[in-house]
Amino acid sequence: MIETTNILSIAGLGFRRSNRWVLRNVAIDILPRTVAALVGPNGSGKSTLLRCAAGLWQPTEGSVRIEGRNIQDMPRPRIARCVTYVPQEAHLDFDFTIREIVLMGRYSHRGRFERDTQEDRQAADDAMMRTDVMHLAERPVTQLSGGERQRVLIARSLATQANVLLLDEPTANLDVDHGLEVLELCRSLADEGRSVVIAMHDLNAVCRYADQVALMDEGRLIALGDSSSVLTPENLERAFHVRSEALASADGSPFLLFHRLTRDIAAVAKAGRT
């Protein structure tokens, strides 16, 4: 039976920086077995929302609750066992091997000075297998390409065995094949019972893989629901200033075709938001 209790609950969330609201009054509930996509133009607040949801940044107002507990009241190791965050880019400048980096995802499962256990090593191996980096396990991370590093970060995240995964543009540095592999992995993790929240720009991938879509613009949530109810021509014109058509592929899957608006129409659309 599918669970109905929210794993991740964001209520009235606001984040203010340098006298400017980056987020304001954002509310989203994420269920188990769900892939939720955060979409919106650059600067709409997607990355800030993920960092607040991961407990990395403290919101100015509102709350983030993980499994019913306010994340600000939880110790960091407990947060790390419940929710994990994969940034779009991370600096990995030391000659750690891939295996050592993935094992870092297990720190919250053991004491500060305890050695890796067999359970830790098995979790790391499983994570490397699922992200197709096992063959790189003994290679220094400084020798990897940007796409390979991104898969290593995802492997480290999986090694935590957290129920909530937050990923910021996880396919941005990947080729088409590995990008699809990561999205299919996210789908399978959700099907196994986890909650996966992904900030994405590829709206056709959103249509294909996401159960829930949150459309953001200028720090506010302007639409929430499934892809067909959120990625409407009206919403897409408002947020992205493009004209869109919903088409169907040979197998019946939906996809969106975009057209640039003329400068005058785009100006009208932008003015309509203010």
Side-chain angles (χ1 to χ4, degrees):
M1 183 173 66
I2 296 177
E3 301 169 74
T4 58
T5 303
N6 298 333
I7 287 184
L8 174 64
S9 183
I10 297 169
L13 197 73
F15 186 83
R16 187 180 178 94
R17 174 187 285 171
S18 302
N19 297 319
R20 183 178 74 87
W21 287 100
V22 182
L23 293 175
R24 198 73 197 269
N25 197 31
V26 176
I28 306 173
D29 288 331
I30 309 296
L31 294 173
R33 304 182 184 277
T34 298
V35 174
L38 303 180
V39 301
N42 290 334
S44 60
K46 302 185 297 296
S47 295
T48 300
L49 178 57
L50 288 178
R51 292 188 180 102
C52 289
L56 300 175
W57 290 358
Q58 184 171 353
T60 308
E61 61 184 17
S63 65
V64 175
R65 304 186 76 85
I66 300 290
E67 298 177 355
R69 295 184 59 185
N70 191 317
I71 198 169
Q72 296 300 323
D73 298 332
M74 298 168 64
R76 190 66 230 175
R78 176 60 181 165
I79 295 172
R81 292 195 297 271
C82 293
V83 58
T84 183
Y85 167 71
V86 181
Q88 182 175 344
E89 295 182 2
H91 297 291
L92 301 171
D93 298 326
F94 297 99
D95 278 331
F96 291 112
T97 67
I98 304 313
R99 187 181 301 279
E100 288 171 330
I101 288 176
V102 176
L103 277 168
M104 291 176 189
R106 300 293 299 172
Y107 84 92
S108 62
H109 292 267
R110 58 180 184 267
R112 185 173 181 182
F113 299 108
E114 292 180 9
R115 297 175 64 86
D116 301 333
T117 65
Q118 179 58 37
E119 183 179 359
D120 293 330
R121 292 188 289 272
Q122 186 61 55
D125 285 352
D126 291 344
M128 288 187 288
M129 288 292 293
R130 297 195 75 169
T131 53
D132 192 27
V133 295
M134 177 60 87
H135 64 291
L136 303 172
E138 307 310 324
R139 186 178 299 182
V141 70
T142 51
Q143 296 181 9
L144 301 189
S145 68
E148 289 169 335
R149 289 187 181 204
Q150 186 67 17
R151 285 186 283 137
V152 169
L153 292 176
I154 295 171
R156 183 178 65 182
S157 180
L158 292 183
T160 67
Q161 298 180 320
N163 281 330
V164 180
L165 282 78
L166 310 174
L167 301 99
D168 194 354
E169 292 290 337
T171 63
N173 296 316
L174 302 182
D175 58 35
V176 173
D177 181 51
H178 281 112
L180 290 173
E181 186 175 38
V182 166
L183 293 173
E184 288 168 2
L185 171 61
C186 291
R187 180 68 265 166
S188 67
L189 291 169
D191 292 341
E192 292 166 10
R194 303 195 201 190
S195 297
V196 183
V197 184
I198 315 174
M200 299 179 66
H201 281 295
D202 186 344
L203 299 184
N204 282 310
V206 170
C207 291
R208 184 173 178 182
Y209 293 100
D211 306 295
Q212 185 179 28
V213 182
L215 177 59
M216 301 181 65
D217 191 24
E218 296 185 341
R220 293 182 179 271
L221 184 66
I222 63 174
L224 179 66
D226 61 23
S227 60
S228 62
S229 64
V230 171
L231 302 181
T232 63
E234 296 78 14
N235 285 340
L236 294 175
E237 182 170 328
R238 174 185 175 184
F240 295 100
H241 318 311
V242 295
R243 184 167 58 85
S244 62
E245 300 177 66
L247 306 174
S249 63
D251 65 359
S253 301
F255 71 93
L256 298 168
L257 180 65
F258 299 101
H259 307 274
R260 296 186 64 191
L261 296 175
T262 65
R263 183 172 301 177
D264 291 342
I265 296 174
V268 171
K270 184 176 182 179
R273 298 183 308 168
T274 59

